[in-house]
Amino acid sequence: MLKDNYEAVKNNIEQACMRSNRDLSEVTLIAVSKTKPVPMLQEIYDAGARDFGENKVQELCQKYEELPQDIRWHMIGHLQRNKVKQVVGKAALIHSVDSYRLAQEISLQAQKQNITVPILIEVNIAKEESKFGIAKEDTIQLVEEIAELPNLTIQGLMTIAPFVDDPEDNRLYFREIKQLSVDIKNKNIDNVTMDVLSMGMTNDYEVAIEEGATIVRVGTGIFGARNYNI
């Protein structure tokens, strides 16, 4: 059943790419596996998935040890500075950097391991009080400051759009953050590429792709509803 879900999501991504005249290779699907047990992840891995997203450091580290080593792990949840050390070197991409102090800690831990860590800047594009992320108007300054830190590379932006009944309601937010990424790219800041735009989840990933997402994060659409009681 999970394989069928995964194939259905991949098919929807393909259709969205066709509608927006984009190449399928431009879009990466992250299977958001938070709270899901290892056998379920293994099933999706066997179906071809190699990118998995986790919200919690502890869960990412545990699954990192138990699952195949060619998996690319994405840290997509809020990251506390005191847990950075555990995730640096394990996460292929940290999506949720929203402050200079957090980036500073990632840089410090990356230097200790002599590696370069790719990050995204999380933008609270809809200005929701319940969400993490930097305000749109403060993003460029933050990018310029973080770009000077060693052992980091800013690869783009990430956002979590509002949960809406109609995915079309989020199109304007996706357009807004796409334009922000273009504006930043045009500044030609050293150590900043803006090649990655992580936006769109189970409810609205097709609209996100039509508006330029290069990464979509799908959990419920693949694994079913999450159990928050575990």
Side-chain angles (χ1 to χ4, degrees):
M1 185 192 83
L2 293 184
K3 183 182 178 184
D4 293 342
N5 292 349
Y6 177 66
E7 292 298 334
V9 170
K10 282 175 56 181
N11 184 60
N12 290 341
I13 289 172
E14 190 172 353
Q15 296 299 317
C17 285
M18 288 171 67
R19 286 195 299 273
S20 47
N21 294 314
R22 296 184 63 194
D23 195 294
L24 186 59
S25 64
E26 294 174 27
V27 181
T28 298
L29 168 60
I30 293 180
V32 178
S33 46
K34 57 186 180 182
T35 79
K36 296 303 179 185
V38 165
M40 290 179 78
L41 276 72
Q42 184 68 51
E43 191 175 335
I44 297 299
Y45 175 90
D46 292 341
R50 291 298 179 270
D51 291 270
F52 288 82
E54 290 290 336
N55 269 49
K56 294 185 176 173
V57 170
Q58 187 179 354
E59 213 173 332
L60 186 151
C61 292
Q62 179 191 339
K63 291 172 179 175
Y64 178 90
E65 298 299 335
E66 295 182 33
L67 283 152
Q69 288 301 296
D70 62 338
I71 287 177
R72 291 178 291 273
W73 293 99
H74 296 257
M75 182 64 204
I76 61 175
H78 179 63
L79 181 56
Q80 295 168 298
R81 293 200 311 279
N82 63 354
K83 297 197 174 162
V84 166
K85 181 165 61 174
Q86 296 166 253
V87 84
V88 164
K90 292 185 174 72
L93 182 61
I94 298 175
H95 292 231
S96 46
V97 178
D98 61 358
S99 73
Y100 181 78
R101 290 180 72 194
L102 175 58
Q104 215 173 14
E105 183 62 30
I106 296 169
S107 169
L108 182 68
Q109 297 302 331
Q111 289 175 74
K112 287 180 180 177
Q113 295 188 35
N114 197 27
I115 59 174
T116 298
V117 176
I119 64 169
L120 304 180
I121 304 301
E122 181 174 1
V123 183
N124 187 346
I125 200 71
K127 299 181 177 174
E128 292 184 279
E129 287 186 11
S130 62
K131 299 253 175 80
F132 292 103
I134 185 90
K136 175 189 170 184
E137 52 271 22
D138 299 328
T139 303
I140 291 177
Q141 183 183 344
L142 183 65
V143 166
E144 289 172 338
E145 290 170 356
I146 291 175
E148 296 184 3
L149 291 168
N151 296 68
L152 286 186
T153 171
I154 301 174
Q155 296 197 341
L157 306 177
M158 181 269 243
T159 199
I160 301 173
F163 185 79
V164 291
D165 291 328
D166 183 357
E168 286 295 329
D169 292 345
N170 280 336
R171 193 178 288 275
L172 75 161
Y173 295 123
F174 295 145
R175 281 185 182 164
E176 211 174 324
I177 195 162
K178 170 63 177 176
Q179 186 57 52
L180 177 60
S181 77
V182 170
D183 293 344
I184 294 170
K185 191 180 184 75
N186 288 340
K187 286 185 166 289
N188 292 315
I189 305 165
D190 285 346
N191 207 23
V192 177
T193 60
M194 288 293 127
D195 292 336
V196 178
L197 195 51
S198 172
M199 63 183 189
M201 301 194 289
T202 293
N203 196 42
D204 55 17
Y205 65 89
E206 292 177 69
V207 173
I209 289 167
E210 290 168 8
E211 296 302 333
T214 67
I215 289 179
V216 292
R217 311 179 304 269
V218 180
T220 306
I222 295 172
F223 293 104
R226 287 189 291 276
N227 177 9
Y228 286 104
N229 298 320
I230 61 170

